[in-house]
Amino acid sequence: MARPNSTRVTEFILLGFTSRRDIQLLLFSIFLPIYLLGLVGNLCLAILIRAERSLHMPMYYFLSHLALMDLCSCCTVAPKMLSGLLKGHDTTPIPACALQMFFFAAASDAECCLLAAMAYDRYAAICRPLHYGTAMPQRLCRLLVVVSYAAGAASGAIHSSMAFRLPFCGARTLDHFFCDIPPVLALACANTDLNQLLLLAVCGAIQSVTLVAIMASYGMILCTVGRAGSQRAVSTCGSHLTAVGVLYGTLIFMYLRPDGTYAPQTDKMASVFYTVVIPTLNPAIYSLRNADVKQAVRRRFGKERCRACCF
């Protein structure tokens, strides 16, 4: 049943985490370093992979695009969140809210697809090393990245366009720190059953298919390295699976649950993981434990020191 009509809403008031000023400033002091670390880490990783010829391999090609997606994700959400914490309040116009929803949804779903491509690449490299060149040609790598971006963009366009075709004519207080899909739909003064169905269908399809592909790939990898007795490879796969588990756990909790179970405070805490924490952790999980990346960093810093000495 539609809600009674009233003045049309042109902007949302973002409540953020809390109204207590001391806690807002405390959260700002915590989230600002995390955001800057994620920003610098992902940007440096993407630049390093593009600059170092030794890293021009499928694994690092995918990793550079994962860094770009993480940059998009955290830069879409964190600056607005930090601004609200610093000022103590925040508002966002409807068009800006729609744009934020689109970019975040697109980056999240594109990342799920890219993680599946990365898992398949690791399967081909570890379980079929003699056929790796034919299993992962450059053409296929580019295609998988394009498909990831296209799937993310399509998902973001569907959710944002369908959400903001609804009328917002009553409450304009958004109990969240960014324009996420569930809290925005909760403010619509019209039936949202179609939106909920699309959320379940589109996000459910992307997340379930990619999760099955990831688990199947890493399952075969673990069987192969387990027989070979490689503890280091098992540890690396374990860290990758932990990162995947945290990401998919929060995404499924947020988007693939029954309508009417939205719990603002719990959902805000879950949202922090996939908007700020995971983009910061990914460079460390996927690259800093990698010998090739460490050697590339040493070579790059070595070149810079030599140039400084020459001057």
Side-chain angles (χ1 to χ4, degrees):
M1 181 180 294
R3 301 175 188 174
N5 197 11
S6 59
T7 305
R8 186 174 182 83
V9 174
T10 59
E11 66 177 14
F12 291 133
I13 300 172
L14 299 174
L15 291 185
F17 295 94
T18 178
S19 58
R20 287 185 53 179
R21 190 66 185 136
D22 56 337
I23 298 180
Q24 288 176 341
L25 294 176
L26 175 62
L27 291 175
F28 177 84
S29 67
I30 294 172
F31 291 146
L32 178 61
I34 294 175
Y35 165 63
L36 293 177
L37 186 62
L39 187 68
V40 172
N42 284 292
L43 187 60
C44 289
L45 180 59
I47 293 173
L48 177 68
I49 291 172
R50 298 302 173 92
E52 284 292 324
R53 293 187 61 85
S54 62
L55 299 180
H56 291 182
M57 296 183 288
M59 173 183 175
Y60 302 108
Y61 175 70
F62 291 134
L63 191 56
S64 69
H65 284 280
L66 180 67
L68 293 177
M69 291 175 186
D70 282 334
L71 273 175
C72 178
S73 180
C74 64
C75 289
T76 298
V77 174
K80 191 70 173 171
M81 176 189 70
L82 292 170
S83 173
L85 289 171
L86 188 61
K87 294 188 298 184
H89 62 87
D90 205 2
T91 61
T92 182
I94 292 291
C97 188
L99 201 61
Q100 185 183 51
M101 181 185 291
F102 166 76
F103 278 112
F104 181 73
S108 298
D109 285 336
E111 185 166 331
C112 290
C113 296
L114 190 65
L115 287 173
M118 291 173 65
Y120 173 72
D121 171 70
R122 290 299 81 208
Y123 158 75
I126 295 172
C127 300
R128 302 179 61 195
L130 299 179
H131 304 282
Y132 181 65
T134 55
M136 294 299 298
Q138 190 177 51
R139 182 174 62 255
L140 177 60
C141 296
R142 290 176 178 170
L143 178 62
L144 290 173
V145 169
V146 170
V147 169
S148 297
Y149 281 113
S155 176
I158 289 171
H159 297 311
S160 57
S161 62
M162 292 300 292
F164 287 94
R165 63 181 280 276
L166 298 170
F168 298 93
C169 50
R172 64 190 188 104
T173 302
L174 191 66
D175 195 2
H176 214 288
F177 60 89
F178 78 105
C179 291
D180 204 2
I181 301 170
V184 169
L185 293 181
L187 294 182
C189 51
N191 188 286
T192 61
D193 288 347
L194 178 58
N195 299 77
Q196 298 293 344
L197 181 61
L198 286 171
L199 188 62
L200 185 63
V202 177
C203 290
I206 291 175
Q207 291 170 22
S208 60
V209 170
T210 55
L211 182 59
V212 168
I214 291 169
M215 297 306 293
S217 297
Y218 278 110
M220 288 183 282
I221 290 171
L222 289 172
C223 288
T224 300
V225 299
R227 287 195 297 268
S230 176
Q231 294 298 320
R232 182 178 177 182
V234 171
S235 174
T236 301
C237 289
S239 63
H240 289 187
L241 286 173
T242 300
V244 168
V246 173
L247 174 64
Y248 276 84
T250 52
L251 289 177
I252 290 171
F253 173 77
M254 285 298 300
Y255 302 117
L256 301 182
R257 60 183 182 182
D259 188 19
T261 59
Y262 178 64
Q265 294 306 318
T266 303
D267 292 349
K268 289 174 193 176
M269 293 301 104
S271 298
V272 169
F273 276 96
Y274 65 82
T275 58
V276 180
V277 177
I278 291 175
T280 302
L281 291 177
N282 275 345
I285 292 172
Y286 287 99
S287 63
L288 293 184
R289 299 181 64 183
N290 187 288
D292 293 334
V293 174
K294 290 179 181 178
Q295 291 175 5
V297 171
R298 293 192 192 101
R299 280 196 299 269
R300 183 58 52 176
F301 275 103
K303 290 177 183 177
E304 294 300 326
R305 286 199 203 96
C306 290
R307 289 173 186 170
C309 290
C310 290
F311 286 105

